Amino acid sequence: MARTFAYGGQALMEGVLMRGPEAIGVALRRPDGMIVWATEPLASPLHRNRLARAPFVRGIVLLYDTLVVGTRWLMRSGAVAAAGQGVELGGRAVAFTLLVTLVIAVGVFVLLPLFLAQAGVAAAGGGDQPLLQRLAEALIRVALFVGYLLLVSRAAEVRRVFQYHGAEHMTIHALEHEEPLTVASIRRFPTAHPRCGTEFLVVFVIVSIILFSLLATSDPVVAIAGRIVLIPVIAAVSYELLRIGARFRDHVLVRWVFAPGIWLQRITTQSPDDGMIEVAVASLREALRVNGQAAPAGSLDPPRVPLAAAAPLEPGAAT
């Protein structure tokens, strides 16, 4: 069966979110070992717009999904993993978390490199040299990005999320090859994927370096505002470049250009255990079902119950 839509996903706390053309499927492993699932339509005004899948616009839609939908389910998965089944997260809590996350991300990865580069070049006696400042800013931004990934990967909880990330990629690989969604079949595929969010971030950083270099100005207000305003533009361009890279990945030159994204996935994806693969399969099966498609013949169908119908867990309950 030819798939006209490229399914994507996101690792959660003890779970996986899979995104289809019209809705998402989510599967989570509770502390007692039960798999619970949920689905959600992608029905925001942004999704309903007829231009939502148009080139460059779809990159902004994906950014919205990752920031808003992804953050909400990441928080909810954390509640389930902490035996907080049934805890509903209010819109204000999600909005506040998202706002704080965005402020920190923009401050650390967009503005901090600018300030450090300006201060560093000035301290070295470089004076007002825009080209030197842009080069220093680019190097600092890359170092902060890679350093952040290496730092967070040391946490045990994050390593488990990275294992679920690997399970998500391997399961999508199997779907794209129309292989049965079984543990044995899925294990034949790599944890890295050319449409990974990590690779998107790598492309995002590279595109931002190029576009920010055009903002060679001594006016700090213009420099800061320009970097913030350009974020949606960078996301749109980066997503289109990522799609092109995934489509022509068999070409040697394209593989070489996008190699850094695959290298970084050695940090952000890890080999999952069999239970994690089962959760990824459950998530993808729900995403396929709610989007009106079927899993490849012979696929695993892990036992699971709806999240809303699952009996609440007592705090501290575990397998």
Side-chain angles (χ1 to χ4, degrees), residues 222-247:
V222 174
I224 294 173
R227 280 160 174 74
I228 295 175
V229 170
L230 281 175
I231 289 176
V233 177
I234 295 170
V237 173
S238 299
Y239 183 67
E240 297 306 318
L241 291 176
L242 189 67
R243 287 176 62 93
I244 293 172
R247 181 178 179 184

Side-chain angles (χ1 to χ4, degrees), residues 80-137:
V80 173
Q85 170 66 20
V87 175
E88 291 295 332
L89 301 173
R92 291 184 179 180
V94 175
F96 177 76
T97 301
L98 181 58
L99 178 62
V100 172
T101 301
L102 285 175
V103 169
I104 293 174
V106 172
V108 173
F109 298 110
V110 177
L111 301 183
L112 182 59
L114 170 65
F115 300 145
L116 291 178
Q118 290 176 339
V121 171
D128 187 14
Q129 298 189 28
L131 181 59
L132 186 58
Q133 288 183 4
R134 298 293 86 75
L135 177 60
E137 180 183 351

